[in-house]
């Protein structure tokens, strides 16, 4: 299974505009959902693009299953193993028919025709878009387009799925659709997921959260660990997920609830007994 | 002085077999100085409605007036567009000038002000949206960060000194700090210029944070139109329309199911905190 | 909703003609064009017209639609007609005024050219009515494939056409949005002379170009991340295969082609 190992990665923009990533070391374990959060310009997208050789390190190394991204013999294998879904749904769909677009990756990999058709069918089914196989992408909603984009990556049978702010341009419904698919892929197919996001509530569903700030990793831990301290998170231009904000406000005012409650369920559980006792 | 819509209806491709009703029978009054939120899922007709307020679209039937001016008459349209500023979604994609100052002055110049006055208005708008005029005015808009670009684009409309400022999803795509600063900026704008603000969004959290009144659109119809408190008390109905309900509302709903009674709608953290503290406190 | 522009004038239905391989249709349309240009006797156009009529019936495309495809050409047709009417002077003079001279030869020539053009437009329209642009692109790529050997970028050309088809509706929508945004900032796009009008387009064109470049950049990255590396080692999901009906079509057309030419050369009139 794919494991991405990043060692002392530094990336400097070619146009003198500075250091985008500085001395990053990180191992992404197979099967985990990793959320990367950070304010605009913190380097999170740049980091993601290193994971499938779209960008190459200025120094340090990135390896996928032992294959170094700097070795261009491996480029195609790495890109097959690590798929990225980008932010703007319109700018990553290549053809005018949904199923043909999903087949685009396998076509590039040289997969035989019969198998492409099979893979496309499976991929569309996995994102519940089979009914739209013959549709034109520009007639779909944002959430549907992102699901097609995910299917396009799935058809390459990757081991790691990276969502580079893939929900940022979607409405709440579309966002939920995409998140549901992603958690399903992780639990059913054991797909490793790297989720770059602006929304802290999305990071809560991850197994592990990384906070980036000025090109560096400043925090790395479970959601409970990372979102334990509000003032620290705010220092990095972020905010706690709403439930954690509420939790801190209540604790500050002397309400006795667990310090690591993060989800609606957890708060409900903690608050119910307190409020019911009469 | 207000924007008044009466039974506003707009039908796409009216005389065609695949005609499509975008908005239907919408009546609403937006008074000067108010802060409105308009919510609805994608395709609910939000954009169509606000484009009518800016005379970019003309109703199929019904009527809309801005301070008594009817944009159905062509001669009123320029005046309506001066009174009502419309900031589209991702407005930074409309920047085109060489410098920030020139881009912001485009609106005032179109209104007929001389260059000097237009530049002064542009500088004033920059201050209002929180951009340091001296630092930014000679920069190219294309070398700014995403959040700064958005401010420049909003300033481009603010510079025209509208009495009503409409913003379509002004927080879309921004990080938490950016979202927060847009909310602060809008509140400052209203305080200092006294203009009405109409914010279109599908995030109830954002609207709960700043609006006084809310209009909810669903399938082209105005289904709810009232104070924030009243509208947000009906989370079930809002959720059935595909809207994103604030997490605090969901928690309130859960607590309610567990038999904890609440008298008022609770949709933000402050309210929930106050509720919990009051409940626990009264028992001590 | 806007009519789906990516389909061009494609008429969506199921017919023998629709199911033909795009390569067959492209080749036969080309052959048909040659035939039309080879015909030198007026009455032989009847054959071509009958051929078009039969194909139209088989394609289930309404006749009215085929005729409507001539509409944008009406001024050209009229111009060609009038031009030929007075340009060729042969045979009996029927009418003379100033430098204009109407001759029987002129009438014949004018009718001849008009028929030729009419049949030409109807034939090519039938192809676009029955083939989606994307299928045409596929067909063209395959037909031009042999030229790759001499360095002709057949694959790249087809990829460009595909991407263009994909992005036309997006950019149309975007230009509409930008126009509205600038209108609401008081832009005046209607009044003034040509220079003023052209100038007033700058606030629309600049953002549109910037956006197109940004999209191109992002698309290139997305394609790269999906292993795109040109034509080398690429397989296709949709393989074009010639079916029985394609061979029948070639056979039928060959018969028409040969018999028209034979008639033209054997008959004295």
């Amino acid at each position: 299974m794919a494991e991405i190992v990043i060692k002392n990665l530094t990336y400097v923009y070619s146009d003198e505009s500075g250091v985008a990533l500085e001395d990053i070391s990180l191992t992404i374990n197979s099967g985990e959902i990793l959320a990367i959060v950070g304010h605009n310009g913190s380097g999170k997208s740049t980091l993601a693009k290193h994971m499938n050789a779209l960008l190459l390190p200025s120094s340090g190394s990135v390896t996928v299953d032992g294959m170094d991204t700097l070795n261009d013999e491996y480029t195609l294998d790495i890109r097959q193993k690590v798929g990225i879904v980008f932010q703007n749904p319109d700018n990553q769909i290549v053809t005018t028919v949904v199923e043909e677009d999903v087949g685009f990756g396998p076509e590039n990999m040289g997969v035989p025709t019969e198998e492409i058709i099979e893979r496309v069918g499976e991929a569309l089914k996995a994102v519940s878009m089979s009914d739209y196989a013959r549709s034109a992408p520009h007639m779909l909603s944002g959430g549907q387009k992102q699901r097609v984009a995910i299917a396009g990556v799935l058809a390459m049978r990757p081991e790691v799925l990276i969502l580079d702010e893939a929900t940022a341009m979607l409405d709440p419904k579309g966002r939920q659709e995409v998140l549901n698919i992603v958690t399903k892929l992780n639990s059913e197919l054991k797909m490793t997921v790297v989720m770059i996001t602006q929304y802290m509530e999305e990071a809560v569903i991850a197994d592990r959260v990384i906070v980036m700030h000025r090109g560096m990793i400043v925090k790395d831990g479970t959601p409970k660990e990372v979102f334990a301290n509000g003032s620290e998170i705010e220092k990095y231009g972020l905010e706690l997920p709403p439930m954690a904000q509420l939790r801190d406000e209540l604790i500050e005012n002397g309400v006795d609830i667990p310090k690591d409650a993060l989800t609606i369920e957890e708060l409900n559980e903690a608050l119910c007994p307190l409020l019911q006792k009469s | 002085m207000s924007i008044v819509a009466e039974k506003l209806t707009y039908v796409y491709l009216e005389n065609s077999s695949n005609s499509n009703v975008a908005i239907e029978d919408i009546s609403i009054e937006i008074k000067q100085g108010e802060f409105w939120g308009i919510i609805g899922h994608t395709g609910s007709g939000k954009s169509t409605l606000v484009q009518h307020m800016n005379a970019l679209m003309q109703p199929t039937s019904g009527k809309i007036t801005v301070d008594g001016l009817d944009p159905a008459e062509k001669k009123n349209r320029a005046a309506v567009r001066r009174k009502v500023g419309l900031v589209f979604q991702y407005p930074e994609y409309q920047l085109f000038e060489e410098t920030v100052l020139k881009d912001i002055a485009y609106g005032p110049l179109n209104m007929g002000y001389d260059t000097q006055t237009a530049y002064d208005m542009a500088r004033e708008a920059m201050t209002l949206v929180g951009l340091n005029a001296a630092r930014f005015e000679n920069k190219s808009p294309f070398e700014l960060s995403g959040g700064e670009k958005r401010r420049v684009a909003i300033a481009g409309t603010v510079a025209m000194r509208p009495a009503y400022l409409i913003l379509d999803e002004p927080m879309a795509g921004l990080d938490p700090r950016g979202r927060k600063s847009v909310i602060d900026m809008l509140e400052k704008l209203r305080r200092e210029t006294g203009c009405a603000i109409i914010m279109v969004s599908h995030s109830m959290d954002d609207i709960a944070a700043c609006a006084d009144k809310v209009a909810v659109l669903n399938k082209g119809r105005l289904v709810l139109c009232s104070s924030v408190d009243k509208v947000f008390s009906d989370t079930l109905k809002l959720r059935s329309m595909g809207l994103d309900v604030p997490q605090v509302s969901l928690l309130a709903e859960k607590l309610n199911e567990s038999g904890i009674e609440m008298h008022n709608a609770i949709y933000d953290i402050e309210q929930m905190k106050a509720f919990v503290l009051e409940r626990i406190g009264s028992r001590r | 909703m806007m009519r789906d522009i990516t389909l061009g004038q494609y008429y969506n239905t199921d017919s023998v003609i629709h199911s033909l391989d795009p390569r067959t249709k492209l080749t036969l349309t080309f052959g048909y064009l040659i035939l039309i240009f080879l015909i030198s006797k007026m009455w032989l156009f009847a054959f071509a017209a009958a051929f078009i009529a039969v194909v139209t019936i088989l394609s289930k495309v309404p006749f009215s639609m085929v005729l409507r495809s001539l509409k944008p050409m009406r001024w050209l047709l009229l111009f060609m007609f009038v031009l030929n009417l007075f340009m060729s002077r042969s045979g009996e003079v029927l009418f003379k005024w100033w430098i204009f001279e109407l001759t029987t030869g002129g009438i014949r020539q004018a009718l001849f050219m008009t028929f030729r053009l009419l049949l030409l437009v109807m034939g090519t329209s039938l192809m676009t009515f029955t083939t989606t642009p994307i299928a045409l692109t596929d067909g063209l790529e395959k037909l031009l494939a042999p030229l790759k050997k001499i360095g002709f970028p057949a694959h790249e050309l087809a990829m460009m056409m595909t991407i263009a088809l994909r992005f036309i509706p997006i950019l149309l929508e975007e230009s509409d949005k930008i126009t509205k945004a600038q209108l609401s900032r008081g832009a005046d796009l209607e009044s003034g002379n040509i220079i003023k009008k052209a100038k007033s387009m700058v606030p629309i064109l600049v953002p549109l170009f910037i956006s197109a470049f940004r999209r191109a950049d992002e698309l290139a990255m997305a394609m790269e991340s999906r292993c795109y590396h040109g034509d080398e080692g690429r397989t296709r999901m949709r393989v074009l295969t010639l079916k029985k009906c394609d061979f029948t079509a070639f056979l039928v057309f060959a018969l028409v082609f040969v018999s028209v030419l034979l008639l033209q050369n054997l008959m004295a009139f």
Side-chain angles (χ1 to χ4, degrees), chain C:
Chain C
M1 277 285 118
M2 186 173 62
R3 186 167 139 62
D4 192 351
I5 195 152
T6 50
L7 291 178
Q9 42 177 4
Y10 180 69
Y11 181 82
N12 194 6
T13 181
D14 233 355
S15 81
V16 206
I17 307 292
H18 282 75
S19 68
L20 286 179
D21 189 292
R23 286 171 298 177
T24 309
K25 282 185 270 193
L26 276 163
T27 319
L28 293 188
T29 310
F30 191 63
Y32 168 81
L33 295 186
I34 294 175
L35 180 67
I36 296 288
F37 275 104
L38 286 178
I39 288 177
S40 60
K41 290 177 180 166
M42 186 94 74
W43 62 274
L44 281 171
F45 280 136
F47 269 81
F51 177 71
I52 284 292
V54 171
V55 174
T56 310
I57 292 168
L58 286 176
S59 72
K60 298 185 188 165
V61 177
F63 270 102
S64 58
M65 260 187 90
V66 181
L67 291 177
R68 218 180 302 149
S69 68
L70 295 169
K71 206 175 154 193
M73 304 289 290
R74 61 191 187 278
W75 298 114
L76 182 69
L77 284 168
L78 190 72
F79 176 73
M80 289 297 281
F81 183 80
V82 174
L83 195 72
N84 279 290
L85 205 55
F86 297 105
M87 288 309 279
S88 72
R89 290 168 188 186
S90 58
E92 215 176 306
V93 178
L94 296 172
F95 173 79
K96 199 175 168 178
W97 177 74
W98 194 34
I99 56 162
F100 296 108
E101 205 176 70
L102 191 62
T103 63
T104 48
I107 294 176
R108 195 187 164 280
Q109 182 67 17
L111 283 174
F112 193 84
M113 287 306 291
T114 310
F115 280 138
R116 184 178 269 175
L117 259 174
L118 279 174
L119 288 166
L120 217 122
V121 175
M122 288 204 286
T124 44
S125 298
L126 262 179
M127 179 179 74
T128 50
F129 278 138
T130 58
T131 325
T132 57
I134 199 82
L136 276 180
T137 310
D138 268 6
L140 212 58
E141 180 179 358
K142 282 273 152 33
L143 282 177
L144 296 176
L147 294 178
K148 278 184 208 163
K149 288 203 182 71
I150 56 162
F152 184 80
H155 166 73
E156 288 75 9
L157 200 71
M159 185 52 81
M160 271 163 56
M161 279 168 67
T162 306
I163 292 172
L165 284 170
R166 163 86 185 96
F167 279 86
I168 284 168
I170 295 175
L171 291 177
L172 273 179
E173 201 178 297
E174 183 138 26
S175 67
D176 181 57
K177 206 189 119 184
I178 296 172
T179 307
K180 279 183 168 167
Q182 308 299 28
L183 273 178
S184 76
R185 286 171 76 188
D188 179 6
L189 306 175
E190 276 148 17
S191 62
N193 57 20
I194 289 205
I195 294 170
K196 187 164 173 277
K197 269 188 192 162
K199 252 187 168 169
S200 67
M201 291 307 284
V202 170
I204 292 163
L205 292 178
V206 171
L208 196 60
F209 275 121
I210 291 172
S211 150
F213 280 118
R214 196 193 63 242
R215 286 179 190 281
D217 203 38
E218 287 181 17
L219 182 71
M221 187 159 272
M223 285 169 73
E224 227 183 289
S225 97
R226 283 163 79 186
C227 292
Y228 183 70
H229 56 288
D231 197 19
E232 195 197 320
R234 195 163 192 266
T235 47
R236 296 308 304 268
M237 177 181 180
R238 220 179 27 183
V239 180
L240 298 175
T241 42
L242 294 177
K243 296 175 294 267
K244 217 172 116 196
C245 59
D246 290 295
F247 292 108
T248 319
F250 273 111
L251 207 66
V252 170
F253 182 76
L255 275 172
V256 173
F257 195 92
V258 172
S259 46
V260 167
L261 290 188
L262 277 178
L263 282 171
Q264 177 153 298
N265 290 318
L266 294 179
M267 303 297 221
F269 48 91

Side-chain angles (χ1 to χ4, degrees), chain A residues 53 56-57 62 66-78:
Chain A
L56 299 173
V62 178
M67 297 181 288
D68 194 322
T69 57
L70 282 167
N71 184 341
D72 58 15
E73 269 171 49
Y74 296 138
T75 304
L76 291 180
D77 289 331
I78 289 172

Side-chain angles (χ1 to χ4, degrees), chain B residues 13 51 54 56 81 86 88-89 93-96 103 106-107 110 142 156 160, chain C residues 1-2 174 177-178 180-187 202-203 206-207 210 214:
Chain B
L13 299 172
Q51 287 186 38
N54 193 241
L56 286 172
R81 286 190 192 137
L86 175 55
F88 279 81
Q89 200 172 0
Y93 294 153
Q94 297 137 26
L95 302 175
F96 68 98
D103 205 293
Y106 175 69
N110 281 331
F142 303 109
M160 297 169 75
Chain C
M1 277 285 118
M2 186 173 62
E174 183 138 26
K177 206 189 119 184
I178 296 172
K180 279 183 168 167
Q182 308 299 28
L183 273 178
S184 76
R185 286 171 76 188
V202 170
V206 171
I210 291 172
R214 196 193 63 242

Side-chain angles (χ1 to χ4, degrees), chain A residues 40, chain B residues 92 136 141-151:
Chain A
N40 285 345
Chain B
E92 56 274 24
F136 283 97
F142 303 109
E143 65 186 44
L144 306 180
S145 78
E148 288 162 354
K149 277 186 198 170
R150 179 146 317 166
R151 280 163 192 273

